[in-house]
Amino acid sequence: MATSKKVITRDEWEKKLNAVKLRKEDMNTLVMNFLVTEGFVEAADKFQRESGTKPEIDLATITDRMAVKKAVQNGNVEDAIEKVNDLNPEILDTNPELFFHLQQQRLIELIRQGKTEEALEFAQEELAPRGEENQAFLQELEKTVALLVFEDASNCPVKDLLDISHRLKTASEVNAAILTSQSHEKDPKLPSLLKMLIWAQNQLDEKAVYPHINDLSTGQLETLSE
Amino acid sequence: MPTTTSSSSSSAASSSGNRQADVFSRLASSDPEVKLKALREVKNQIIGNRTKKLSFLKLGAVPAIASALSDADCSSNSSILVQSAAALGSFACGFEAGVQAVLDAGVFPRLLRLLTSSDEKVVDAGARSLRMIFQSNQAPKYDFLQEKNMEFLFSLLNSENENVSGLGASIIAHACGTSVEQQVLCDAGVLEKLVLLLDGSLSQREACLESLATVLKSNPEAVSRFVGLEAGRYMSSVTELTKDRYPRTRLLSCLCLVVIYNTSPSYFLNMGTKSSLVTTLLELLNDPGQSGDEAALGLSSLIAEKEDLQKLAYEANAIKNIVDILKTGSELNPKRLQGLFLSLAELCSKLEDCRCSFLSLEMLDLLVNELRHKNADVRTAACICFRNAARSIKNLSAGRFTTDHVMLPLVQLLHDPSSSVQVAVLGALSNIVLDFSSPKSTFIEYGGIKQLIELSKSMDPNTRCSSLRALRNLMFLADNNRKELFYSEVKAQGFVALISDPEPSVQEQALALLRNLVDGCINSIEFVFDEDGLILDTVGRQLRKAPQAQMAIQGMYVLTNVASGTELHKEAVMQQLFPQPQAESNNFMLKFLQSHESQLRSATVWTIINLISPSSPGALDRHVKLRNEGIIPQLKNMVNDACLDVKIRIRTVLSQSMSFGDN
């Protein structure tokens, strides 16, 4: 098949790859950064001991942060709020959007537990004022309160809110806020590198035919015909 | 017979009220465990929750917590200290009533003492709450001039604890006001300490940037000192931070650079830096939070009076961006609105392209709406926007500004309680009344003249000045009807009062108004002769008092216009120039001809031209008088005047002179 693009065989490609030099320390740092940002304390500690790589922040602070994240993931939002406030009272005081999302999650948990009366009271007492204080939250507020209106919340138009993924979303938000307050980057570097890889492959696709990495989890080289 | 009622479910409000009252009562418990639990509960309820802060405030929570803190201070109960300090800090966080309550409770000195605790958590809690207090306008004044205060401040800056050093920077950022304080701080080496925080944590960096802006503001010496530190390394750091990943850091570093630019622009010779500063601020305008609000004000401050930066901003699509934000329809924070309007105003101040672009985007309706905004600063900014947009002659003569829809709200603002709004709307009207395209004037129909005259008697000199400026423009090339209408409201006495105003700037506008009034047809000159020439006498008197140049210019133009009339008019002017033989020849005309102000020399020569114009019978006699008073000889000395306009007029006079047979 005639093509105007340059064709690189697997052999040539592997040769080119092998010519690139990487430092072990850089890779260790990447791994440590991932473990620390995602909050895998024990793994980070073990990795430090086994590889000698220094973590970029005090591992003790990770434990506190992970406790908060776990509480949200388990639906114990009130507990999470108390823990965040113990860690740093400024976070929720200066982050109205985060605070609103945590309150919203609390309401969702009450609805999930079937505590309708309590949920109603909570919505009136805690969420409505957020909407008054800040118009930007009104739309989301309405969506959340809509859960109360339907007999079967798990089958209504806004049922996504009840999904466990919503807890994870809130947990992630809180995690990011804590990291920011500790002047740490909220995202690990690894995903950015992988995104760069995919982008670079897309760019190169316009000019050449060569072995791709299609499955990021394995990193296997696959030639086009396979 | 007693009836039973079914218990109705208690409304949310009253049950929460009960819960609050319950927690509140436990605060006063003598059992430390109970008290601690209550403190934590209050703290966790109020953090992030403005509504709860308000309701607990009303219950009197702050004094209760303050006394809990005092007791714990004496008994060194760390947990209670931490929780009560954190609660007080939260009350003070972005909540003015809370700050007031905390200060009123007298707990400020206690909080300061917490900084010396051996327990790191206590220090943190104390430092955080103090920082919240210092971010408010109500923070206690910090006397930088007292040595022990300086020592304390530096001990904070030197601390390893980032909350404590951040507190030190915060105190500087919010309490340093005068140039004396800036000087004292710089001399004590504060810049060298602050810049170290740039390499620290996020909150330290931000505190540092804020305090730098305060110390450097309008202080060229401080700026030069800062830029000189380590051969400009820190200046580069701040510039780099404008590209930081955190919006607030980008904003604060931009604001710092704006301060430096406004104080000492010479450090910004590189066009690239100016350009990226403008574009970064423009991007920050889209930030929904506080950063966006402050970015708008920062942008207006940066481009104010600087045509090159206005051009840069225009080319970076500033007008479209700002208009898009304004049109989103959501309630914008007053501070942001003010900043956005001021930025638009600055963009339209000199560049016609900007004005046309702005007006083509259907913005007038929105602008008119904001004239009714409840915040005076927003109304003022909207008026300034109008004023500058109306500088577009093309759009003005297209009648865009003189529709009832625009005029009525503007005229209504003449009654505004705020004097800054009044002055701003007067500025806008001054420009709008210059629309000659429409034969009728909506402004006058709305009783505008009466209102302007009222305002010319205001207590505030700026308002008097601005209203006279508007009247002056209104009388420019006005027809007789309009002039009569105006004069009938003022009369000779009124004019005399205006011309004799204690403020020179007001006098100047009054004379300029008079100049326009008597300009045009010969009948207009009669105004100054009303009531036995009262107005003309007053003008003469003011001119003889050795006035400021700007006033003298307008006064001479009044005389010029009067002297363009009949014989009687010209003679009357001569009377004013040379009253009954004076003891000494205190000839102000000679002084004016020798003035440094070319406009004054020009105006004086014009008067002479009109006095001796050969077509009038008494010209020869007047010429003789002028020669005898040394005026003509003086003109002969000025044949090579530096100003071309003056030179040409003098040649005119001298050729008239020669026609009288004078060498």
Side-chain angles (χ1 to χ4, degrees):
Chain A
M1 173 173 29
T3 163
S4 58
K5 297 187 196 165
K6 179 171 178 176
V7 176
I8 307 174
T9 64
R10 197 191 173 107
D11 271 349
E12 284 173 331
W13 189 252
E14 284 183 341
K15 229 187 240 158
K16 285 183 197 289
L17 286 182
N18 285 333
V20 177
K21 294 294 162 225
L22 292 176
R23 297 192 323 152
K24 191 77 185 283
E25 298 84 48
D26 289 342
M27 290 192 282
N28 285 347
T29 310
L30 267 176
V31 170
M32 180 57 90
N33 165 269
F34 183 80
L35 295 174
V36 160
T37 313
E38 291 301 305
F40 301 117
V41 191
E42 285 180 40
D45 186 48
K46 191 100 197 269
F47 188 61
Q48 175 181 21
R49 281 186 274 123
E50 288 183 351
S51 70
T53 314
K54 280 180 96 95
E56 18 189 63
I57 54 176
D58 184 3
L59 292 179
T61 63
I62 304 181
T63 321
D64 298 330
R65 175 164 54 92
M66 284 307 109
V68 174
K69 194 171 176 190
K70 209 158 167 215
V72 177
Q73 283 168 341
N74 291 338
N76 299 329
V77 186
E78 205 174 334
D79 187 37
I81 291 178
E82 287 184 22
K83 287 189 160 68
V84 172
N85 288 340
D86 280 333
L87 200 54
N88 185 341
E90 278 181 65
I91 295 177
L92 293 181
D93 243 339
T94 54
N95 247 308
E97 203 174 331
L98 173 61
F99 185 61
F100 172 70
H101 285 151
L102 282 167
Q103 297 282 61
Q104 184 191 30
Q105 194 65 47
R106 258 175 98 174
L107 179 66
I108 293 171
E109 298 307 323
L110 284 171
I111 295 173
R112 192 201 308 281
Q113 290 161 27
K115 297 180 179 170
T116 326
E117 275 242 12
E118 212 179 316
L120 206 67
E121 212 179 287
F122 184 81
Q124 217 168 328
E125 195 187 308
E126 299 287 345
L127 275 182
R130 301 292 83 72
E132 275 170 34
E133 289 164 11
N134 199 324
Q135 285 214 340
F137 300 146
L138 279 178
Q139 218 182 11
E140 275 193 73
L141 180 58
E142 278 168 23
K143 253 180 82 178
T144 320
V145 169
L147 277 174
L148 286 166
V149 170
F150 292 91
E151 280 247 345
D152 183 8
S154 51
N155 271 320
C156 73
V158 287
K159 66 173 167 39
D160 290 344
L161 290 172
L162 282 174
D163 207 66
I164 293 297
S165 62
H166 199 269
R167 271 192 198 166
L168 297 177
K169 187 165 156 247
T170 312
S172 195
E173 213 183 315
V174 137
N175 186 49
I178 299 175
L179 280 168
T180 306
S181 78
Q182 293 169 338
S183 309
H184 188 82
E185 272 203 63
K186 56 183 170 73
D187 296 318
K189 296 286 192 300
L190 189 57
S192 310
L193 286 169
L194 295 176
K195 285 182 189 176
M196 181 75 144
L197 168 67
I198 297 174
W199 178 85
Q201 284 191 153
N202 288 340
Q203 292 290 302
L204 192 56
D205 280 343
E206 292 175 22
K207 299 190 175 124
V209 175
Y210 62 98
H212 281 78
I213 295 179
N214 290 330
D215 185 352
L216 290 175
S217 64
T218 63
Q220 285 279 65
L221 283 178
E222 293 166 40
T223 50
L224 216 52
S225 50
E226 288 173 45
Chain B
M1 183 115 183
T3 53
T4 54
T5 52
S6 59
S7 65
S8 53
S9 59
S10 49
S11 73
S14 70
S15 82
S16 85
N18 289 339
R19 279 204 295 276
Q20 279 180 32
D22 169 55
V23 153
F24 179 67
S25 65
R26 283 186 277 124
L27 276 176
S29 163
S30 48
D31 181 354
E33 289 295 315
V34 173
K35 191 184 283 209
L36 180 63
K37 192 150 178 272
L39 281 168
R40 277 185 60 109
E41 266 184 61
V42 173
K43 178 196 83 173
N44 284 322
Q45 283 202 44
I46 63 174
I47 289 182
N49 195 327
R50 194 190 173 85
T51 313
K52 284 269 170 71
K53 284 183 196 181
L54 192 56
S55 57
F56 270 110
L57 199 76
K58 288 187 184 155
L59 277 178
V62 173
I65 298 174
S67 68
L69 189 138
S70 302
D71 295 340
D73 200 13
C74 303
S75 62
S76 307
N77 186 328
S78 295
S79 321
I80 293 193
L81 283 176
V82 169
Q83 297 302 323
S84 47
L88 291 173
S90 180
F91 270 113
C93 183
F95 185 47
E96 289 297 314
V99 176
Q100 188 68 57
V102 171
L103 291 173
D104 287 345
V107 74
F108 186 78
R110 294 261 179 204
L111 289 170
L112 279 175
R113 256 216 300 287
L114 294 182
L115 298 176
T116 54
S117 165
S118 50
D119 185 332
E120 198 70 7
K121 286 200 161 178
V122 172
V123 173
D124 277 335
R128 283 200 180 111
S129 47
L130 285 166
R131 189 150 47 85
M132 293 303 129
I133 294 174
F134 272 101
Q135 280 172 5
S136 153
N137 290 334
Q138 301 174 67
K141 296 272 164 275
Y142 198 84
D143 191 357
F144 295 100
L145 301 173
Q146 273 202 47
E147 195 171 324
K148 67 174 166 75
N149 284 351
M150 277 298 241
E151 276 173 28
F152 181 66
L153 185 65
F154 273 79
S155 74
L156 295 177
L157 289 173
N158 284 328
S159 169
E160 291 276 317
N161 182 316
E162 76 173 54
N163 283 313
V164 176
S165 57
L167 170 63
S170 236
I171 293 178
I172 297 172
H174 295 97
C176 173
T178 68
S179 60
V180 173
E181 288 174 331
Q182 288 172 329
Q183 202 57 53
V184 155
L185 284 167
C186 285
D187 288 342
V190 84
L191 290 175
E192 287 83 350
K193 281 278 172 253
L194 286 174
V195 295
L196 295 176
L197 297 178
L198 279 176
D199 295 327
S201 72
L202 176 63
S203 69
Q204 282 178 319
R205 255 202 312 279
E206 292 185 353
C208 163
L209 288 168
E210 264 188 303
S211 50
L212 275 177
T214 311
V215 174
L216 300 178
K217 190 169 183 182
S218 308
N219 193 322
E221 272 178 52
V223 168
S224 135
R225 198 160 166 166
F226 169 69
V227 177
L229 287 178
E230 298 220 8
R233 172 190 160 192
Y234 294 110
M235 176 74 168
S236 306
S237 299
V238 174
T239 312
E240 274 305 301
L241 286 173
T242 59
K243 304 183 190 98
D244 192 77
R245 75 187 95 107
Y246 295 113
R248 190 151 175 80
T249 305
R250 291 202 297 274
L251 169 75
L252 292 173
S253 51
C254 279
L255 293 182
C256 201
L257 290 179
V258 170
V259 159
I260 295 176
Y261 191 94
N262 282 341
T263 310
S264 309
S266 57
Y267 293 115
F268 280 84
L269 293 174
N270 184 350
M271 201 54 172
T273 326
K274 291 187 206 175
S275 175
S276 79
L277 188 52
V278 168
T279 44
T280 310
L281 280 170
L282 280 173
E283 278 161 16
L284 284 166
L285 289 182
N286 293 309
D287 184 285
Q290 197 196 356
S291 295
D293 302 343
E294 296 183 37
L297 284 166
L299 179 65
S300 68
S301 169
L302 175 64
I303 64 179
E305 316 278 323
K306 303 174 195 90
E307 196 172 327
D308 59 337
L309 293 184
Q310 290 161 13
K311 240 189 221 132
L312 271 176
Y314 173 61
E315 281 156 16
N317 243 341
I319 304 237
K320 178 108 201 336
N321 287 349
I322 295 177
V323 168
D324 283 343
I325 297 174
L326 287 169
K327 280 188 174 171
T328 52
S330 57
E331 276 276 329
L332 290 173
N333 182 308
K335 207 166 161 196
R336 184 182 295 232
L337 276 175
Q338 183 195 8
L340 291 172
F341 285 136
L342 286 177
S343 298
L344 281 171
E346 289 298 338
L347 284 163
C348 293
S349 62
K350 298 183 209 279
L351 302 173
E352 178 65 15
D353 284 339
C354 288
R355 298 176 202 140
C356 291
S357 177
F358 169 66
L359 290 167
S360 71
L361 291 169
E362 316 280 312
M363 279 301 290
L364 278 180
D365 280 348
L366 193 146
L367 210 51
V368 165
N369 246 352
E370 299 301 340
L371 290 176
R372 298 185 188 101
H373 197 280
K374 49 179 153 55
N375 183 301
D377 287 332
V378 175
R379 298 196 297 276
T380 305
C383 286
I384 297 178
C385 215
F386 262 114
R387 181 195 73 186
N388 291 358
R391 287 177 183 169
S392 167
I393 297 179
K394 172 174 146 190
N395 282 289
L396 184 61
S397 44
R400 278 179 171 261
F401 294 95
T402 44
T403 58
D404 290 357
H405 173 62
V406 172
M407 269 304 206
L408 186 53
L410 283 174
V411 170
Q412 281 170 343
L413 283 183
L414 289 173
H415 289 306
D416 195 284
S418 154
S419 64
S420 73
V421 176
Q422 280 182 351
V423 170
V425 76
L426 284 167
L429 288 169
S430 294
N431 285 351
I432 295 175
V433 299
L434 285 173
D435 170 25
F436 307 112
S437 61
S438 56
K440 68 167 186 153
S441 169
T442 15
F443 177 69
I444 293 179
E445 281 178 28
Y446 282 133
I449 289 189
K450 267 209 179 76
Q451 304 217 34
L452 289 178
I453 294 172
E454 261 311 299
L455 289 170
S456 71
K457 301 176 198 155
S458 158
M459 296 294 286
D460 176 26
N462 281 333
T463 310
R464 296 201 297 277
C465 208
S466 300
S467 57
L468 286 174
R469 192 180 282 118
L471 281 166
R472 160 191 181 178
N473 284 1
L474 202 55
M475 291 304 129
F476 182 64
L477 299 185
D479 60 29
N480 266 336
N481 283 341
R482 188 186 287 193
K483 288 184 181 176
E484 290 288 349
L485 184 60
F486 162 69
Y487 190 77
S488 63
E489 297 288 341
V490 182
K491 300 282 193 14
Q493 284 292 354
F495 244 116
V496 165
L498 292 172
I499 299 172
S500 319
D501 190 283
E503 292 289 325
S505 54
V506 178
Q507 285 181 27
E508 178 195 334
Q509 294 303 324
L511 286 168
L513 165 59
L514 183 60
R515 165 189 176 181
N516 286 356
L517 189 69
V518 301
D519 185 30
C521 79
I522 279 197
N523 290 340
S524 301
I525 300 179
E526 291 301 325
F527 287 122
V528 299
F529 290 103
D530 191 28
E531 300 208 24
D532 255 348
L534 185 55
I535 297 179
L536 190 59
D537 282 342
T538 313
V539 173
R541 204 170 42 240
Q542 293 294 90
L543 286 171
R544 282 189 288 276
K545 273 195 214 164
Q548 286 181 1
Q550 295 305 317
M551 245 177 61
I553 291 170
Q554 301 304 332
M556 285 314 293
Y557 274 124
V558 168
L559 292 184
T560 301
N561 288 351
V562 175
S564 70
T566 65
E567 268 301 300
L568 271 149
H569 296 153
K570 294 179 208 276
E571 283 303 317
V573 171
M574 290 298 282
Q575 268 295 326
Q576 293 299 329
L577 294 174
F578 310 107
Q580 301 308 328
Q582 302 168 91
E584 47 182 295
S585 115
N586 195 355
N587 195 330
F588 65 83
M589 262 201 126
L590 269 177
K591 291 211 188 76
F592 289 172
L593 285 170
Q594 291 159 352
S595 160
H596 289 300
E597 284 284 340
S598 62
Q599 268 223 315
L600 182 51
R601 300 197 301 275
S602 181
T604 313
V605 175
W606 267 114
T607 311
I608 300 169
I609 291 177
N610 286 355
L611 286 171
I612 61 173
S613 82
S615 53
S616 45
L620 179 57
D621 290 333
R622 288 192 284 276
H623 177 255
V624 167
K625 176 90 181 171
L626 286 169
R627 196 184 53 206
N628 292 344
E629 291 285 345
I631 305 292
I632 305 293
Q634 168 66 22
L635 291 179
K636 287 191 178 148
N637 284 339
M638 290 163 68
V639 284
N640 289 316
D641 191 285
C643 170
L644 184 62
D645 191 56
V646 177
K647 209 155 96 171
I648 294 175
R649 306 304 157 209
I650 290 181
R651 301 262 160 109
T652 311
V653 173
L654 293 178
S655 67
Q656 283 172 333
S657 194
M658 287 214 300
S659 74
F660 292 126
D662 187 42
N663 252 359

